[in-house]
Amino acid sequence: MDGLNALIHGFTVALTTYHIALMIAGVLLGILVGVLPGLGAPNGVSLLLPLTFTMDPVAAIILLTSIYWGALFGGSTTSILFNIPGEPSSVATTFDGYPMAKRGEATAALSYAFLSAGFGALLGIILITTLSGSVARFAMRFSSPEFFAVYFLAFASFVGLGNASPLKTIISIGIGFSLAAMGMDSVSGSLRLTFGLDQLIAGVSFLVAVIGLFGIGELIVTVEEGTKLNGIRARVSLRDVLRTAATLPRYWVALIRSGLVGIWMGITPGGPTAASFMSYGLARRFSPNRDKLGTGEPEGIISPETADHAAGTSAMLPMLALGVPGSATAAVMLGGLMIWGLNPGPMLFVERPDFVWGLIASMYLSNIVAVVLVLATVPAFAAILRIPFAIVGPAIIVICFVGAYTVASRPFDLWLVLAFGVVGYLFKKLDYPIAPLVLAMVIGDKAEDAFRQSLIMSKGSLAIFWSNPLVATLMVVGLVLLAWPVIGRLLGQVLAAPRPDPQAPR
């Protein structure tokens, strides 16, 4: 009942003309970010984050989350109409979305994508509503060892559950830790990893790094691949949307299955991309129409879209309750909370309940706004994609540099953006995951502080991380996830080994 009362209070915070206007503006900006090649949700959020520094935190987070939802929908639009995923998590949507659009059913394909995405997002928001208070109260029992164990579990989850090479994931995390350690040590006051450059004494802004990694890096890849934007024209009518919506319940198994997959991958740091591919893979295995997948089957659109948006919204739960983001975009938002003077974690629910529940209530509203707006604006945003990339590309570069300079008004940051752009390009070409690097940059110093505080409490003994059942359980699960690539390979070899025939002659 307390949660219901808190949610009702959250709606009184979110339901203002100003906040509704921010939702509409954020969704429209997000759709634009999603459809333009070279941009994406993490970069779109990071580029506009400096604009929120003077805003109230509730209004700022409503704007950023609305941009996030809009970007996810925009990525689906390009996947279906142009066979170009605007977001990495929209890749699986191209497998059936584009074939369905090519045979003249673009409206149905878009309707399936947006309606199932809205359903997945709703499942994720319901999860946050029901569990966030309980998770926060549980986390109130945490001290430094428990918090370090949670951070360790988050990094281990990327290694054990991610779809990238475990070694590459560890290297990415290590680079992120190194970047987080640059500057002045908060405990000893000594300088670390500044290489004699005075500009690095204050450290490296994660916003500058994200703009370079996602913005410039993605743009270089897009230019190299020579993306051609020859898409299918579509006009969405209300009658066609309602007709598609009437057929959606027959795919209830795929909706529920994909929603659960997305929720799990959102809470753990698997992220929307892994969720969409996993959900599509399950559909190929268990769907009664699995032989038709890849030819324009509705379930091939519903499965990845539901999981994608369920993961995107569920990633907000660990960010709010534990201060551990479940995706790259959530990591950027976590950095925004710190810039606004808020401390993500269980105390946030005690100190700023208006912020937390205003955000949760706005998520219900902004997803409804996103579904309506994206259906209404598909022709307009599809037309934008027909603008020559020779015009779009330079405009994106200008936006990236302006956003980076806005962070601290330092010319040196412009060079850092270029450097991180090269790093982002190399990561893409060499299949290194960027999300673990961003996560390590955002919470690396918090993990280090928790580790050092724990050792001070125990006078240097690592036994403190096994001193009670809670921290010991978290550490054991983290170690299992860290070793899971090796354990999984050994289990696979054991299961695949031929078994002796008991009836064979001896």
Side-chain angles (χ1 to χ4, degrees):
M1 186 61 68
D2 291 340
L4 179 60
N5 293 333
L7 181 61
I8 293 173
H9 173 69
F11 275 108
T12 63
V13 174
L15 272 174
T16 66
T17 304
Y18 177 52
H19 290 158
I20 296 296
L22 285 178
M23 291 176 201
I24 295 173
V27 168
L28 292 175
L29 285 171
I31 297 173
L32 179 62
V33 165
V35 301
L36 286 177
L39 287 175
N43 191 44
V45 172
S46 61
L47 281 173
L48 294 172
L49 185 57
L51 301 180
T52 67
F53 291 168
T54 58
M55 296 173 64
D56 176 79
V58 176
I61 197 68
I62 287 176
L63 176 63
L64 294 182
T65 53
S66 298
I67 292 170
Y68 183 28
W69 315 141
L72 293 177
F73 282 110
S76 305
T77 302
T78 59
S79 296
I80 292 171
L81 297 183
F82 291 83
N83 201 29
I84 299 171
E87 290 285 320
S89 57
S90 299
V91 172
T93 306
T94 62
F95 301 157
D96 285 89
Y98 187 66
M100 182 180 286
K102 281 186 68 176
R103 67 172 186 243
E105 300 178 35
T107 298
L110 291 167
S111 300
Y112 278 125
F114 300 149
L115 294 174
S116 59
F119 177 80
L122 179 62
L123 289 181
I125 300 168
I126 292 174
L127 174 84
I128 295 173
T129 304
T130 54
L131 294 185
S132 57
S134 301
V135 173
R137 284 191 296 270
F138 177 72
M140 293 290 287
R141 300 164 50 190
F142 286 18
S143 59
S144 296
E146 285 79 12
F147 274 113
F148 173 76
V150 169
Y151 298 139
F152 175 71
L153 180 61
F155 291 118
S157 297
F158 270 108
V159 177
L161 301 178
N163 54 359
S165 164
L167 179 59
K168 292 180 178 179
T169 301
I170 293 173
I171 293 174
S172 179
I173 292 173
I175 294 174
F177 273 130
S178 300
L179 293 170
M182 282 185 174
M184 185 174 293
D185 181 10
S186 58
V187 176
S188 65
S190 60
L191 297 180
R192 303 185 299 184
L193 302 177
T194 58
F195 307 104
L197 296 175
D198 294 339
Q199 294 89 340
L200 292 178
I201 293 177
V204 176
S205 168
F206 85 97
L207 269 180
V208 173
V210 167
I211 291 172
L213 291 169
F214 289 103
I216 304 298
E218 290 279 358
L219 195 64
I220 296 174
V221 173
T222 302
V223 171
E224 183 186 43
E225 293 177 351
T227 303
K228 294 182 179 180
L229 306 177
N230 299 316
I232 297 169
R233 298 181 182 274
R235 178 170 295 174
V236 179
S237 66
L238 180 60
R239 179 180 300 175
D240 292 336
V241 172
L242 294 176
R243 186 183 299 118
T244 304
T247 65
L248 197 61
R250 72 176 63 169
Y251 300 102
W252 66 271
V253 175
L255 286 167
I256 299 299
R257 180 182 65 224
S258 303
L260 294 176
V261 169
I263 286 172
W264 170 250
M265 297 303 288
I267 295 175
T268 62
T273 302
S276 62
F277 277 103
M278 182 181 294
S279 182
Y280 190 83
L282 291 174
R284 290 191 68 90
R285 182 168 184 177
F286 297 109
S287 171
N289 301 318
R290 54 184 174 272
D291 295 335
K292 297 181 181 179
L293 288 177
T295 64
E297 175 66 22
E299 193 169 343
I301 301 173
I302 292 170
S303 295
E305 285 296 314
T306 304
D308 178 3
H309 286 250
T313 51
S314 300
M316 302 293 286
L317 175 60
M319 185 200 78
L320 290 172
L322 300 174
V324 178
S327 67
T329 309
V332 176
M333 292 183 188
L334 177 67
L337 295 184
M338 297 177 182
I339 292 173
W340 302 328
L342 300 177
N343 188 24
M347 289 304 296
L348 188 63
F349 287 76
V350 177
E351 298 171 352
R352 290 297 304 270
D354 57 328
F355 172 83
V356 174
W357 291 103
L359 167 61
I360 293 173
S362 73
M363 291 168 70
Y364 285 96
L365 300 172
S366 58
N367 271 284
I368 295 173
V369 170
V371 173
V372 174
L373 283 181
V374 76
L375 285 169
T377 58
V378 162
F381 284 104
I384 290 175
L385 276 169
R386 295 184 176 87
I387 299 174
F389 189 74
I391 298 175
V392 174
I396 294 174
I397 291 177
V398 171
I399 293 171
C400 289
F401 279 107
V402 170
Y405 188 76
T406 306
V407 174
S409 300
R410 295 193 309 174
F412 182 72
D413 286 343
L414 302 181
W415 293 104
L416 286 179
V417 166
L418 284 176
F420 280 112
V422 174
V423 173
Y425 168 76
L426 293 175
F427 268 48
K428 284 285 184 181
K429 299 302 291 184
L430 300 175
D431 291 326
Y432 278 78
I434 297 179
L437 186 154
V438 176
L439 177 67
M441 281 196 69
V442 173
I443 67 172
D445 55 344
K446 297 174 68 175
E448 181 187 6
D449 290 344
F451 181 75
R452 294 167 76 172
Q453 290 167 5
S454 301
L455 292 184
I456 292 173
M457 292 167 57
S458 66
K459 298 181 179 180
S461 174
L462 293 175
I464 193 171
F465 297 114
W466 313 92
S467 58
N468 62 68
L470 177 58
V471 68
T473 301
L474 292 172
M475 290 298 295
V476 167
V477 174
L479 290 172
V480 170
L481 287 174
L482 195 63
W484 185 252
V486 177
I487 296 173
R489 190 179 301 113
L490 293 175
L491 288 176
Q493 293 176 353
V494 170
L495 295 175
R499 299 181 180 179
D501 186 356
Q503 298 180 354
R506 298 182 179 178

